[in-house]
Amino acid sequence: MDWLSTITRTFFDFGAMAEVLPQLLGVGLLNTLIISVAATIIGVALGMVVAVMGISPSRWLRVPARIYTDLFRGLPAILTILLIGQGFARFSQSIFGPSPYPLGIIALSLIASAYIGEIFRAGIQSVDKGQGEACRALGMSYAKSMALVVVPQGVRRVLPALVNQFIAIVKDSSLVYFLGLLVTERELFRVGQDAAVLSGNLSPLVMAGIFYLLITVPLTHLVNYFDNRFRTGRRRPAAPSSGLKEVKELAAASPLTTGSNT
Amino acid sequence: MSLASNTARSTSNTKEPVPDIETFHGSSLELKNLTMAYGDVEVLRNVSLNVAPGTTTCIIGPSGSGKSTLLRGVNRLHEPKSGDVLLAGESALQVKPDLLRSRIGMVFQHFNLFPDHTALENVALALWSVKGMPKAEARERARRRLAEVGLAERADHRPRDLSGGQQQRVAIARALAMEPEVMLFDEATSALDPELVKGVLNLMAGLGRRGMTMLVVTHEMGFARKVADQVVFMDEGEVVESGTPADLFDNPQSERLQRFLSEVL
C-alpha cells in the first residue's frame, strides 16, 4: 500500500492543511469573495447596458454592443486579464495606487458583462411580444415599457443563469493572481499555491479547492431551487372551479353587464 | 339582461340612460384610403371607413383578410404606409404615437396582461406611468374599474390565478382606465372558454351602450348582428362590403360575403 500513503501525503496532509487554513479563511476566501462579488455587481450593471443596447431598434447601439460581446466572450479570460491588468497599470496607478487588484476586478467585470449581457438579452427577448405591445397600446414609451414591464420579466427568468455566471466568476477570479498581488490581496488559489510551494506538498491547494467547492456547490443547488421556484412561481392553491360559477359572479357583480333595460 | 334583449340597436343614437353608471364620450374615427404593408407585401389596400362617435363597428372576414392589421394601423402599433386615420377629426399620423395610443384603448386576443403584476397593478400601471397620476389615486381608480367589470374581489390576484374570462375583463378594465376615446378589440373572445364568451361580449355591448366608440374585430357573428351599428366585411386586405348588420347578414351582395357567411353561420 505504498502508493496509498504517497497519495495521502501528497494530497491529504492534514498538518499542512491545518497550517494554511487560517490564511485561506482570513485572506484567501475574503479576497476571492470581494473580487467575485465586485466583478459580478459591475458585470451585471454593464451587462444590462449591453443587453438593452443589443436589442435596441437603433443600429448605432446594436452594433457596438455586438462587437463588445464578441470581443470579451471570444478572448481567453487570462489574455484579457493580462492585457488590461498590465496595459492599464499606469493609468490605474494614478487612481487606485500601485495594486493591480482593482484592474483585476475590472478585467473580470468586462468579461462577465459580455456573458451577462447575453444572458439578459436572451431573457428579455424571450418575453412575449404581446407584453411590449400591451404597454405601447396603453401609451407607454419604449423606454418605459422596457423598464417597467419587459426587462423585469426577462431578468426574473434568467436569475438561475446569473447564479451560474457568478460561479464561473468565482472560478475565474483565481486568474487575477497573474497580475502579481500583494500578500494581503491573495485570493484562495494564490494562498494555496504559495503554501504548496513552501511545503512541497499539494495539500494546501487541495484545501483551497475545498473552499471553492464550498462556495460553488451550494450555489449550484440554489440554482436548481431558484429554477423551480421561478419557473412555477407562487401560486394560490385553488381547487378547479366551474366556469359556470364565473358566469354567475359576472352577472351578480357587474353593473356594466346587467343590461340597460332592466 | 343579455345580448338578446339588446337587439334594438337601430336606436343606438338615442341611448337609454343607464343609471349610476358613468357614460363615455367616444370620439369619431375615420380611415381614409389606409394602406398598410409588411415589407413589400401590402396587407391592407385603400381601406376607408367611418365610425361615428359612440357607435360600434364590427369587422368580420376570413383569417388573413387584414382585420387585425387594420386595428394596429389605427393606433399605429404598425405604421400605415399611406392614407390617413382621423381621430376626432384630426390626423392621428400627426400626433406623437405614445400620445395617440393613450387616447385609444386596445384589447388583445391573448389578453397580454402583465403576469408579474396583480390585476389591480395591471390596471394602475399606465395610470401612474403614463398619465402621471399619484400611485394611490391610480390604485383607487383601478379598483373602481375592476369593480365595474365584476372583479373587485380579485384585485389582488395575478393573471395566472384568473380564468381567461377574468383576465380579459382585467384587460378591458386596464384599457378603460385610461379613459380612451375609442376602443379597439382584436378578437377579444377567441381565446376564451365557450361559457365565458358571453360575459365578455355583454361587457363590450355595455360599453357601446354607454357611448364608447368601438372598432371590434370578431368572429362572433351573433354579437356583430345584435350590437354593431355598422358591419364591415373584409377579405384580402380590402373592404368588400359594409353596412348595417341587417344589410350584410340578411342581404349580402358580394359573392365573397355570401360564401363567408355560409361557412360561419
Side-chain angles (χ1 to χ4, degrees):
Chain A
M1 294 312 253
D2 199 27
W3 56 273
L4 188 63
S5 65
T6 309
I7 287 183
T8 315
R9 248 183 298 121
T10 311
F11 297 109
F12 301 104
D13 180 337
F14 292 115
M17 282 181 167
E19 208 168 299
V20 78
L21 187 63
Q23 271 190 313
L24 280 175
L25 267 175
V27 180
L29 181 63
L30 187 68
N31 281 314
T32 291
L33 286 178
I34 290 175
I35 294 171
S36 309
V37 169
T40 303
I41 291 172
I42 301 173
V44 163
L46 281 179
M48 182 53 79
V49 174
V50 173
V52 170
M53 282 171 71
I55 54 172
S56 153
S58 157
R59 174 189 306 234
W60 296 103
L61 292 175
R62 251 187 359 251
V63 172
R66 194 68 255 162
I67 293 172
Y68 178 93
T69 307
D70 285 347
L71 197 67
F72 286 109
R73 246 182 12 157
L75 291 172
I78 186 71
L79 193 146
T80 307
I81 290 171
L82 270 181
L83 281 184
I84 288 178
Q86 299 192 339
F88 292 94
R90 189 170 294 175
F91 183 63
S92 145
Q93 184 148 12
S94 59
I95 306 172
F96 304 115
S99 165
Y101 195 87
L103 274 183
I105 290 178
I106 288 174
L108 278 175
S109 305
L110 294 179
I111 299 166
S113 68
Y115 286 96
I116 293 173
E118 284 296 275
I119 292 172
F120 279 150
R121 187 178 63 81
I124 293 168
Q125 286 184 326
S126 76
V127 175
D128 178 38
K129 236 176 63 209
Q131 292 291 307
E133 273 182 3
C135 292
R136 306 308 304 279
L138 286 164
M140 290 165 75
S141 64
Y142 175 80
K144 266 186 193 159
S145 69
M146 290 301 271
L148 294 175
V149 172
V150 180
V151 169
Q153 282 182 52
V155 168
R156 190 167 301 199
R157 256 168 233 208
V158 298
L159 279 179
L162 281 184
V163 179
N164 278 330
Q165 190 57 41
F166 178 73
I167 291 171
I169 294 171
V170 168
K171 292 186 290 181
D172 278 356
S173 69
S174 60
L175 297 171
V176 173
Y177 95 95
F178 263 92
L179 299 178
L181 298 168
L182 302 178
V183 176
T184 53
E185 293 171 345
R186 293 175 305 164
E187 35 62 56
L188 283 173
F189 171 73
R190 188 60 203 258
V191 171
Q193 159 89 340
D194 285 353
V197 169
L198 278 180
S199 63
N201 179 303
L202 285 178
S203 301
L205 263 183
V206 170
M207 197 64 199
I210 291 172
F211 271 87
Y212 278 110
L213 292 177
L214 282 178
I215 304 175
T216 55
V217 171
L219 279 177
T220 354
H221 290 279
L222 191 70
V223 169
N224 296 338
Y225 169 76
F226 265 148
D227 210 15
N228 282 331
R229 187 185 163 96
F230 283 102
R231 189 165 299 151
T232 50
R234 276 164 298 163
R235 277 197 81 106
R236 283 162 191 273
S241 76
S242 161
L244 292 175
K245 228 184 216 162
E246 185 182 332
V247 174
K248 231 166 82 190
E249 154 199 299
L250 185 55
S254 165
L256 268 187
T257 52
T258 55
S260 57
N261 49 354
T262 45
Chain B
M1 292 296 290
S2 67
L3 290 179
S5 62
N6 193 36
T7 43
R9 277 301 282 180
S10 52
T11 61
S12 63
N13 286 330
T14 57
K15 294 231 178 335
E16 301 141 276
V18 185
D20 296 336
I21 300 180
E22 162 190 2
T23 54
F24 299 115
H25 301 283
S27 294
S28 68
L29 181 70
E30 195 181 345
L31 312 186
K32 278 185 168 169
N33 298 322
L34 191 67
T35 296
M36 296 183 61
Y38 291 112
D40 290 332
V41 188
E42 286 193 353
V43 286
L44 210 64
R45 279 183 303 279
N46 277 323
V47 170
S48 294
L49 192 62
N50 214 332
V51 184
T55 66
T56 298
T57 294
C58 284
I59 304 176
I60 60 172
S63 61
S65 57
K67 308 183 296 288
S68 295
T69 307
L70 185 147
L71 291 191
R72 300 166 67 83
V74 170
N75 68 358
R76 291 170 69 189
L77 277 183
H78 191 79
E79 289 290 341
K81 189 177 170 197
S82 64
D84 204 354
V85 176
L86 303 182
L87 177 63
E90 296 162 46
S91 172
L93 302 183
Q94 309 299 325
V95 190
K96 261 185 72 183
D98 293 343
L99 184 65
L100 173 76
R101 294 188 197 115
S102 69
R103 296 169 56 190
I104 300 178
M106 188 167 195
V107 176
F108 301 87
Q109 179 177 359
H110 296 291
F111 327 133
N112 295 354
L113 292 183
F114 311 133
D116 47 351
H117 291 57
T118 63
L120 187 77
E121 290 162 352
N122 262 279
V123 181
L125 179 65
L127 289 176
W128 58 262
S129 73
V130 176
K131 290 215 163 189
M133 207 178 261
K135 285 195 183 178
E137 196 186 331
R139 294 173 70 83
E140 193 41 50
R141 187 194 284 191
R143 208 172 283 284
R144 281 207 307 276
R145 287 302 185 198
L146 282 176
E148 279 179 354
V149 297
L151 288 172
E153 282 165 29
R154 315 223 174 229
D156 297 324
H157 289 235
R158 281 171 205 272
R160 74 164 74 87
D161 299 317
L162 298 171
S163 75
Q166 290 165 338
Q167 289 189 52
Q168 194 59 297
R169 284 186 274 143
V170 174
I172 292 173
R174 177 173 72 176
L176 282 180
M178 295 295 287
E179 299 183 325
E181 298 163 39
V182 172
M183 284 285 285
L184 310 175
F185 291 87
D186 190 0
E187 298 193 22
T189 58
S190 297
L192 297 182
D193 290 335
E195 77 273 18
L196 304 177
V197 168
K198 203 168 87 178
V200 172
L201 290 179
N202 281 346
L203 187 57
M204 290 162 61
L207 299 182
R209 277 199 302 276
R210 289 164 61 196
M212 181 58 74
T213 306
M214 303 204 294
L215 199 51
V216 182
V217 167
T218 186
H219 291 303
E220 298 290 336
M221 295 304 144
F223 177 82
R225 182 191 278 268
K226 286 162 192 159
V227 175
D229 299 284
Q230 175 183 223
V231 178
V232 175
F233 171 65
M234 289 181 64
D235 192 21
E236 295 182 330
E238 289 167 334
V239 172
V240 178
E241 219 176 311
S242 66
T244 65
D247 288 344
L248 263 76
F249 289 113
D250 300 333
N251 192 14
Q253 300 295 311
S254 64
E255 190 248 331
R256 273 195 278 185
L257 177 54
Q258 287 164 13
R259 247 187 29 227
F260 177 70
L261 290 177
S262 74
E263 293 301 328
V264 297
L265 291 182

